[in-house]
């Protein structure tokens, strides 16, 4: 790779925060950013669950700070950003990955399940964006990458709160991009397709659903967390400086079918 291309995608000297970084997509994206040179701040509901991610980042010669944060609780999000401000004084990259899902037909979805999903997947995402945005506006630059979904574009089956939250994340991404673009802050989203993670275990265990989903994916297979690495690094780097308000599908061709 030429020095020019290396520099375009390098994250050396950058500080990145990845939420939901203990496993799956969040862990893979955090390690990808560290591989590109960034130091990481990692959040998850249980701090102990971040140890594996921390160890892999340290093995790459980069720093990693783990912080417990339940994204459905605003006071815990605020505490994260107090630590960021005090210990780092800046934030260059935010990957808003933490999320949850509750499966039930709409007429059987409880208020508790609905509120928990919306609080985590939408309200929490906004609060992370708002706090990160304040720091980035002060420093005059930043990258925010929200994790959307195929259900940003379609309704799904028996996941009404999840679909509603991910649809809203797409619109939030565009709204913040419109506000902050002229302050040198790029706000974009990644919309993963069907990936082999804890969130999709129930679908993968259902032989009929698994077969029908696999048959529709042009590549014929579910994504693996590492398949998001390139998209995460691109949207975090200066290579994407003129990309704003975009929802990047990483779906094996699902939406093109």
């Amino acid at each position: 790779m030429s020095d020019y291309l290396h520099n375009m995608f390098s994250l050396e000297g950058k500080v990145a925060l990845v939420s939901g970084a203990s496993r799956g997509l969040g862990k893979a994206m955090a390690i990808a950013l560290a591989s590109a040179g960034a130091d990481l701040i990692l959040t998850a509901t249980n701090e102990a669950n971040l140890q594996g991610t921390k160890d892999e980042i340290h093995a790459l010669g980069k720093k990693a700070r783990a912080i417990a944060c339940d994204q459905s609780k605003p006071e815990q999000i605020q505490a994260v950003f107090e630590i960021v401000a005090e210990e780092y004084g800046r934030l260059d990259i935010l990957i808003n990955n933490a999320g949850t899902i509750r499966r039930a037909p709409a007429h059987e979805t409880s208020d508790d399940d609905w509120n928990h999903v919306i609080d985590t997947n939408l309200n929490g995402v906004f609060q992370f964006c708002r706090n990160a945005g304040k720091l980035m506006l002060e420093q005059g630059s930043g990258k925010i990458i929200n994790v959307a979904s195929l259900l940003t574009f379609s309704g799904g089956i028996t996941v009404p709160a999840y679909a509603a939250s991910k649809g809203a994340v797409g619109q939030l991404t565009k709204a913040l991009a419109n506000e902050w673009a002229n302050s040198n802050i790029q706000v974009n989203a990644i919309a993963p397709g069907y990936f082999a993670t804890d969130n999709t275990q129930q679908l993968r265990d259902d032989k009929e659903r698994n077969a029908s989903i696999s048959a529709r994916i042009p590549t014929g297979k579910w994504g693996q967390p590492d398949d998001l690495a390139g998209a995460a690094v691109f949207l975090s780097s200066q290579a994407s400086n003129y990309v704003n308000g975009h929802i990047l599908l990483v779906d094996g061709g699902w939406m093109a079918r």
Side-chain angles (χ1 to χ4, degrees), residues 6-145:
H6 177 270
N7 292 336
M8 285 291 284
F9 289 92
S10 174
L11 301 179
E12 287 290 340
K14 302 296 186 182
V15 176
L17 191 164
V18 180
S19 68
S22 62
R23 61 187 187 276
L25 306 184
K27 180 178 181 180
M29 290 188 285
I31 291 168
L33 267 54
S35 297
D39 291 320
L40 272 295
I41 302 160
L42 313 168
T43 71
T45 304
N46 187 334
E47 184 180 333
N49 291 340
L50 291 164
Q51 190 60 49
T53 311
K54 280 180 63 179
D55 289 345
E56 291 195 44
I57 291 169
H58 289 157
L60 293 167
K62 306 309 296 183
K63 298 174 183 176
R65 172 75 154 90
I67 307 172
C69 179
D70 179 341
Q71 191 160 300
S72 68
K73 300 186 183 305
E75 67 277 7
Q76 294 192 22
I77 296 171
Q78 183 62 37
V80 168
F81 281 90
E82 288 172 3
I83 292 170
V84 171
E86 182 178 339
E87 296 187 10
Y88 297 87
R90 66 179 294 108
L91 183 66
D92 301 295
I93 301 156
L94 167 66
I95 296 187
N96 242 328
N97 169 72
T100 191
I101 193 167
R102 300 282 174 89
R103 297 182 185 277
H107 68 284
E108 295 176 3
T109 298
S110 68
D111 287 348
D112 284 346
D113 280 353
W114 174 272
N115 290 333
H116 179 68
V117 172
I118 296 299
D119 282 342
T120 303
N121 293 4
L122 178 55
N123 296 340
V125 165
F126 172 67
Q127 289 152 14
F128 263 88
C129 286
R130 181 177 61 195
N131 281 282
K134 288 177 182 177
L135 287 171
M136 293 173 178
L137 286 166
E138 289 174 4
Q139 67 201 28
S141 64
K143 304 277 188 177
I144 295 175
I145 301 105

